[in-house]
Amino acid sequence: MFFEFGKRTYVMGILNVTPDSFSDGGMFMHAEAACERAGVILAEGADIIDIGAESSRPGYQSISAEEEWKRMEPVLLGLDAAVREKVSVDTCKAIVAEKALGAGVGMINDIWGLQGDNRMAAVVGASDAYLVAMHNQDDTDYGQDIIESMKFFFDKTINSARRAGIREEKLILDPGIGFGKNAAQNLEVLRRLNELGTLGFPLLLGASRKRFIGHVLDAAVDDRYEGTLAASVIGIQQGADILRVHDVAGNVKVAKIADAIYRR
């Protein structure tokens, strides 16, 4: 897995092997169906496949690391080694990340930005994998400007990554749209995304089908396609380097147009 950030926008396709994810929960629980879906995601133009085995939707029920790996392992083993290198494993548990890295995946996507499991930084640091570190918190109460608060969070993440030996060119920051933020806050973060670029790291945007889009459009999860595309284009204009999306083909197309405009 290799990126040349700044030259173009990369697309990460979402593949949830869970029964309860907010959009595609239960659709790809069986390894055969999940591996077939991975092939479709790549064929549609995705650069990365983000596989999650534990839902992180609002109100989700946490599962054990054993159960998470039980769901994840057969999917990873069902993929060719070359495909596994393009896989990001969405987990906040160090033991699951460690096993996934041992299976040859190229990226770990931690929704708690190294501030959940205190072993996560060391596990990723022992590999040469990329790390997506997401901003998150348990509530929507920010005692100061939201971007400044997020920068404070990311300063901790960046310091943890450095101490663990994670190379700076392997670290990607995610503002955590939909996590610890209400609809108005999500819109503000997206509008001001470029301010996080001053931290000096690539940015991943995960706005696909999120609740704030439904709030604006009064639309159900399956009717948020156009809203997602709009958020993707605005994200690119504001400095996003990776789009994490459900609908790969459409986002690949809008990214090409946005890149032609903004990344001349």
Side-chain angles (χ1 to χ4, degrees), residues 158-264:
I158 293 164
N159 287 332
S160 294
R162 286 171 175 158
R163 287 194 299 269
I166 298 172
R167 292 191 288 139
E168 292 201 357
E169 60 266 32
K170 295 287 186 174
L171 180 59
I172 301 156
L173 305 181
D174 177 353
I177 297 293
F179 290 82
K181 302 166 190 70
N182 59 34
Q185 290 166 339
N186 286 317
L187 292 168
E188 180 177 0
V189 171
L190 185 53
R191 184 170 60 249
R192 299 173 60 191
L193 186 64
N194 65 329
E195 295 179 41
L196 294 175
T198 61
L199 294 171
F201 294 88
L203 299 176
L204 180 148
L205 177 66
S208 181
R209 302 183 186 176
K210 289 289 177 73
R211 184 179 294 183
F212 82 97
I213 296 173
H215 178 82
V216 172
L217 299 179
D218 190 22
V221 170
D222 293 336
D223 194 24
R224 299 174 186 173
Y225 176 67
E226 295 88 352
T228 296
L229 296 182
S232 293
V233 172
I234 292 166
I236 293 169
Q237 189 270 335
Q238 287 292 312
D241 296 282
I242 303 175
L243 303 177
R244 182 181 182 273
V245 299
H246 298 86
D247 304 290
V248 171
N251 279 277
V252 167
K253 292 177 182 177
V254 300
K256 286 181 179 179
I257 297 297
D259 283 349
I261 297 168
Y262 297 116
R263 299 191 196 272
R264 292 178 298 172

Side-chain angles (χ1 to χ4, degrees), residues 16-144:
N16 289 313
V17 291
T18 62
D20 54 346
S21 291
F22 81 93
S23 183
D24 56 355
M27 294 177 64
F28 307 111
M29 282 293 292
H30 298 292
E32 184 176 348
C35 290
E36 182 178 344
R37 177 60 184 163
V40 171
I41 287 172
L42 291 177
E44 290 181 340
D47 303 286
I48 315 159
I49 308 167
D50 192 48
I51 303 179
E54 178 180 35
S55 174
S56 55
R57 65 177 175 79
Y60 77 97
Q61 293 295 316
S62 182
I63 60 174
S64 67
E66 291 76 16
E67 176 62 23
E68 187 176 345
W69 183 244
K70 182 180 178 182
R71 297 174 182 177
M72 180 72 69
E73 182 181 25
V75 179
L76 295 182
L77 296 182
L79 299 172
D80 292 340
V83 175
R84 283 200 296 274
E85 291 178 2
K86 299 179 180 180
V87 167
S88 162
V89 165
D90 183 351
T91 185
C92 57
K93 299 183 180 70
I95 185 61
V96 175
E98 191 169 37
K99 291 180 177 181
L101 290 166
V105 306
M107 178 181 287
I108 297 298
N109 183 2
D110 179 7
I111 66 168
W112 281 101
L114 300 182
Q115 298 181 43
D117 189 324
N118 58 18
R119 288 189 60 244
M120 183 66 85
V123 165
V124 179
S127 74
D128 194 38
Y130 284 88
L131 171 71
V132 176
M134 193 185 83
H135 173 268
N136 204 345
Q137 64 178 51
D138 289 322
D139 55 44
T140 60
D141 184 19
Y142 292 84
Q144 58 180 321

